[in-house]
Amino acid sequence: MDRSIAIRADGVSKRFAVHTRKATSLKERLVARRHADERPFYALTDVTLAIEAGHTVGLIGANGSGKSTLLKVLAGILRPTTGTVDARGRIASLLELGAGFNGELSGRENVYLNASLLGLTRRETDRLFDSIVDFAELGESIDNPVKHYSSGMYVRLGFAVAVHVDPDILLVDEVLAVGDEAFARKCLGQISQFQTEGRTILFVSHALDLVETICDRGVVLDHGSVIYDGDPAYATGTLRGLLGTDRNPADDAGTPGLTIGGITVAGEAGEPARDEFVGGDPMAVRIVLDVREDVVGSCHELAAVVMGAGGLPVWVMRVTPDGGLPRLPGRWTVDFVTECPPVHGGFRIAVRVADAAGTTIGAAQGGQTFWVRTGKQGGLVDVPFQVKAEGVEW
Ligand SMILES: Nc1ncnc2c1ncn2[C@@H]1O[C@H](COP(=O)(O)OP(=O)(O)O)[C@@H](O)[C@H]1O
Ligand SMILES: [Mg+2]
């Protein structure tokens, strides 16, 4: 393995025999078992990820996208079904609640058990013990069985152990959100100290603004696959876009008389969708919409808004009837033909149709994310474009 890489996953897939939705009745259990035999479930599919030593990487994705599973595979707690994992140095991890501690044992016993699993001697742990209890703010409770701990206490102890064992690599699942704010601040302070000490950190968080501020790289998982790996701000933009697609476009649509049927980004109008561009490439955004007679008169403007990180508009292309927007009811195909601007990042497209007063009468977001691999990061750009629109009357 390349010396600069601290931890890597190569073509990692993880199959679970049973999908974890808890079966409650006997019948459900039997059905679940039968399904399990028929259809293995992949929580991770062909994940390749190499993290350079000293980097802080944010791992984000919707619930169930495989984040915790990936951390467990990297931590060596789960064995990948296919693929390999390599790590250089000591890995400390703070995984999901329930992983790592034995509930029957006291906090004290768990500290020794965990530390020994991480390769510390009893003597080394003795030396760290008070500081661990102190950091975890557990006081006397350290001698109570862990099963009686609140989730906050549990996380505090887990984090205290993880940061005291002098790890080269720290893996943190989103459990940090469980503790109170003061403790979360303390953890972040510790993480930033680790950053200055050049340790490698991979952490899962729902706090996307945190990922944008403290990570130097963001990885987005979707249904067990890496769909974006790069600039953290664009990673969070990609995820926000992805989560946005869960919304029903009909919620936005102001009228049933207008349906936005498709938004496609391609190299040339009418070509199949493409998701990678470099600045200067020809680009065509095709919008197909069905417009009924009762609304055709009020369609005054069609706008395609290209959104980057955080759902922020980066550039907008508009057309009005004067510019060629068809005036007949039917299926409209509108192509915005332009040149991909030099703006590095991941983007999605939102489409809005408004009437002359500016009121939205139809809106939708494109499910497709496309990436521009070159150019400056962020900022607004002025993008010249041409538009060609036509309608086929019903
Ligand atoms: N031990 C398990 N057995 C079966 N399915 C599991 C198990 N652990 C996780 N899964 C399933 O794998 C998928 C990914 O889970 P997880 O890695 O916990 O996602 P995330 O942390 O991103 O929410 C989910 O559909 C989850 O139900
Ligand atoms: Mg999880």
Side-chain angles (χ1 to χ4, degrees):
M1 187 162 77
D2 182 333
R3 288 198 65 81
S4 63
I5 304 296
I7 187 162
R8 76 179 299 148
D10 255 307
V12 163
S13 297
K14 179 66 193 175
R15 185 182 63 217
F16 287 119
V18 187
H19 203 318
T20 34
R21 207 176 61 81
K22 286 269 182 303
T24 43
S25 67
L26 177 61
K27 186 173 156 212
E28 266 190 37
R29 270 198 299 261
L30 291 173
V31 171
R33 180 166 314 152
R34 215 179 58 222
H35 277 295
D37 292 341
E38 287 166 4
R39 270 191 303 165
F41 170 75
Y42 278 85
L44 296 174
T45 318
D46 194 21
V47 171
T48 294
L49 189 68
I51 299 176
E52 283 125 350
H55 282 238
T56 302
V57 177
L59 179 63
I60 58 179
N63 284 331
S65 56
K67 306 178 297 291
S68 298
T69 304
L70 180 56
L71 283 196
K72 287 181 207 157
V73 169
L74 290 172
I77 288 166
L78 283 179
R79 196 200 308 253
T81 308
T82 62
T84 55
V85 167
D86 278 303
R88 189 186 298 281
R90 175 182 285 160
I91 304 178
S93 53
L94 180 58
L95 301 175
E96 285 176 316
L97 290 180
F101 287 140
N102 179 334
E104 300 301 325
L105 301 179
S106 69
R108 180 186 297 273
E109 291 162 328
N110 270 295
V111 168
Y112 279 90
L113 182 64
N114 264 269
S116 81
L117 290 175
L118 287 162
L120 270 68
T121 63
R122 180 154 195 109
R123 173 115 16 88
E124 285 170 317
T125 312
D126 284 340
R127 244 186 326 107
L128 296 171
F129 189 77
D130 288 343
S131 172
I132 291 175
V133 178
D134 219 40
F135 190 99
E137 301 168 24
L138 279 174
E140 309 274 279
S141 308
I142 194 67
D143 286 310
N144 295 339
V146 158
K147 67 180 174 197
H148 297 315
Y149 283 14
S150 67
S151 52
M153 291 162 77
Y154 201 101
V155 167
R156 296 207 302 271
L157 185 59
F159 194 79
V161 172
V163 299
H164 275 82
V165 297
D166 190 27
D168 301 294
I169 301 164
L170 180 65
L171 307 176
V172 185
D173 208 336
E174 58 199 338
V175 285
L176 278 191
V178 171
D180 58 48
E181 213 178 307
F183 188 73
R185 256 202 306 281
K186 190 153 115 184
C187 294
L188 287 175
Q190 185 66 52
I191 285 178
S192 92
Q193 192 186 322
F194 271 17
Q195 288 181 308
T196 57
E197 290 165 358
R199 301 180 202 245
T200 309
I201 302 162
L202 175 62
F203 88 108
V204 172
S205 180
H206 275 314
L208 300 187
D209 43 352
L210 188 66
V211 170
E212 288 166 11
T213 46
I214 75 170
C215 296
D216 36 39
R217 183 169 149 205
V219 173
V220 185
L221 276 184
D222 183 35
H223 293 97
S225 300
V226 173
I227 61 157
Y228 180 82
D229 182 352
D231 187 289
Y234 291 112
T236 56
T238 300
L239 178 62
R240 286 187 176 105
L242 203 64
L243 299 176
T245 54
D246 294 336
R247 273 185 318 147
N248 180 357
D251 293 346
D252 293 338
T255 161
L258 185 144
T259 316
I260 296 169
I263 305 170
T264 312
V265 185
E268 304 280 349
E271 279 187 356
R274 181 169 134 194
D275 61 11
E276 277 206 38
F277 293 84
V278 296
D281 279 355
M283 173 185 272
V285 176
R286 168 164 288 190
I287 295 150
V288 176
L289 58 171
D290 288 334
V291 185
R292 265 190 2 211
E293 184 152 21
D294 46 332
V295 298
V296 70
S298 44
C299 289
H300 181 73
E301 181 188 84
L302 169 71
V305 184
V306 181
M307 300 178 303
L312 292 176
V314 177
W315 85 85
V316 183
M317 296 177 286
R318 313 171 196 278
V319 58
T320 61
D322 291 342
L325 201 60
R327 282 179 221 258
L328 65 169
R331 169 158 296 190
W332 298 2
T333 302
V334 178
D335 290 312
F336 289 102
V337 177
T338 183
E339 192 172 273
C340 177
V343 280
H344 177 88
F347 301 93
R348 294 178 73 248
I349 301 213
V351 169
R352 189 172 96 101
V353 180
D355 64 16
T359 308
T360 301
I361 57 177
Q365 302 206 14
Q368 183 194 351
T369 299
F370 65 93
W371 288 270
V372 182
R373 301 292 182 193
T374 52
K376 69 169 187 161
Q377 312 229 343
L380 286 172
V381 287
D382 205 6
V383 181
F385 61 90
Q386 287 177 343
V387 60
K388 180 171 156 276
E390 60 187 36
V392 180
E393 190 157 11
W394 283 327

